[in-house]
Amino acid sequence: MGKMTKMDKQRMTRDKARRDAPFREMEDIAKDKNVCDEALMHNYTRAFTLAIRHRKYAEAMRYGNILASYYREYDMHSRLLSLQNHMVNVERQLSSQTKSRIADKVRAKSGAKRVKKVTDEVSQ
């Protein structure tokens, strides 16, 4: 594999910024006091589904919890039940993702284990 050039690093930084832009935008919208709750719920829903599509399950759980608090506040029971269903699935995915990352780190730390094959020749 080739050496990482300055252009490659810049491209990676640009790509990461492009991927994270909607989430940063959502944080800016949430800080704005002039945005009504209905618009916030809509934007949190969009951020929740986008985080799931990008497989950022921790982000999705964070947005899901905020969205659930809005649904509780405005007594939207059917939406709350549906969201809780989705969050159970996301939580399962998050735990699976976390377990696999831990296993990868353990595997990388221990290194590849080589087993020597011992051949016993038995002469009769």
Side-chain angles (χ1 to χ4, degrees), residues 25-37 40:
E25 182 182 346
M26 185 60 227
E27 289 171 6
D28 293 341
I29 291 171
K31 289 176 186 173
D32 189 3
K33 299 295 180 190
N34 296 327
V35 180
C36 67
D37 287 347
L40 280 174

Side-chain angles (χ1 to χ4, degrees), residues 78-123:
S78 62
R79 285 190 182 191
L80 180 61
L81 287 173
S82 175
L83 177 67
Q84 286 174 339
N85 236 355
H86 283 297
M87 286 180 62
V88 166
N89 293 334
V90 170
E91 194 171 2
R92 194 174 297 133
Q93 291 287 337
L94 179 63
S95 71
S96 166
Q97 189 181 58
T98 306
K99 284 178 186 175
S100 67
R101 283 185 180 166
I102 291 171
D104 288 345
K105 284 184 181 179
V106 167
R107 202 175 308 119
K109 201 174 207 178
S110 66
K113 294 185 178 181
R114 296 181 186 162
V115 178
K116 291 183 181 179
K117 291 184 179 179
V118 179
T119 56
D120 292 330
E121 295 179 16
V122 179
S123 36

Side-chain angles (χ1 to χ4, degrees), residues 1 4-20:
M1 190 166 178
M4 192 103 154
T5 64
K6 192 174 186 178
M7 293 291 285
D8 292 335
K9 290 178 184 176
Q10 289 173 348
R11 182 178 40 79
M12 285 177 57
T13 305
R14 224 179 14 254
D15 291 345
K16 184 177 181 342
R18 189 178 298 128
R19 278 193 313 267
D20 293 343

Side-chain angles (χ1 to χ4, degrees), residues 37-67:
D37 287 347
E38 186 179 341
L40 280 174
M41 282 190 281
H42 176 72
N43 286 323
Y44 276 122
T45 305
R46 284 181 47 223
F48 178 71
T49 55
L50 184 67
I52 292 172
R53 264 190 271 136
H54 284 220
R55 295 183 182 188
K56 295 184 174 189
Y57 298 118
E59 288 281 325
M61 287 298 293
R62 189 167 65 97
Y63 289 126
N65 287 329
I66 294 169
L67 199 53

